[in-house]
Amino acid sequence: AKAKSRGTISIYEPEMDQQIRDRRVLHQDLSTAIKNSEISLYYQPQASSRHGTGNGEIIGFEALARWRHPTRGFVPPSDFIPLAEESGLIFEMGQWILREACREAASWPVPLQVAVNLSPAQFMHGDVVSLVHSILLETGLAPGRLELEITEGVLIEDFDRGLSLLRRLKGLGVRISMDDFGSGYSSLSYLQAFPFDKIKIDRAFVMNLGRNPQSAAIVRAVIGLGHGLEMSIVAEGVETQEQLGFLAEQGCDAVQGYFIGKPLPIEQYSTLVGRAPSD
Ligand code: C2E
Ligand code: CA
Ligand code: CA
Ligand code: CA
């Protein structure tokens, strides 16, 4: 366990020691990962749910970071993003991710969109507005085709700053999604207070559709609520035809999940992004 106060004698725990050493090494590796081109982006399609079949038109892709470590192999973003956040590397990495995603999307047929995740530190402590602005200019991506995904947790930290940032980002013409809706301290007042364009219903609710009636009730309510606030709704983690059918029937605007397509290198979606297949 962690020492609770100064002067606490910590008991030697070799396992924890190993973990700390491990993290330190991983952190060093992470700091060179971008330079060594070990970080790449995978893209997961989002489809309109209108047809309810999984054959709805593709409206865009979410960019998801991948780290291929030279000796450990694939390190999941749920491990390295928090590490990057703690160490401050997230600023450089987040900048790379945003630039790479915008550069990529600028070559896709209009109006395909790209969604990029902004980490809390990047959002609250970096100069995210000028960063987005300069990357849009640099890549030539039309602002309306960029969607920034943030989690509501970051807004709790500093309401006024969060609101001002969202307004300034929207002023650039980009869209803002609330990611993982329902998973954290979701509060209805946030939906009213912040100018989101889109709500992404957390995978946990979608997963439980059909298993538990409460999830169906919540999903239905979130769709109604979002639409009442003129936001569009995307369901995450759609894995089955049944889930898709329910969501379409409830008027959910778009779906994302393995049933539509897994996150993959963009070459795997070459026909969707108007490019000749690479092989
Ligand atoms: P997220 O933003 O909620 O991304 C969705 C996650 O759900 C992705 O995991 C995706 O691969 C996974 N997923 C999509 N469809 C399905 C499905 O049908 N079933 C299941 N079981 N999972 C599905 P991934 O790529 O491992 O990313 C995990 C989290 O790491 C992301 O959650 C996001 O919070 C963070 N992350 C990933 N890439 C980035 C990035 O570029 N920047 C930042 N700041 N965070 C990132
Ligand atoms: Ca996301
Ligand atoms: Ca999410
Ligand atoms: Ca998440």
Side-chain angles (χ1 to χ4, degrees), residues 151 179-180 183 202-203 236:
T151 50
D179 204 356
D180 300 345
S183 68
D202 193 69
R203 189 170 80 216
E236 295 193 287

Side-chain angles (χ1 to χ4, degrees), residues 62-64 116-117 149 179-180 200 236 256:
E62 178 177 2
L64 294 159
V116 179
N117 293 283
E149 299 195 358
D179 204 356
D180 300 345
K200 298 190 80 174
E236 295 193 287
Q256 184 179 346

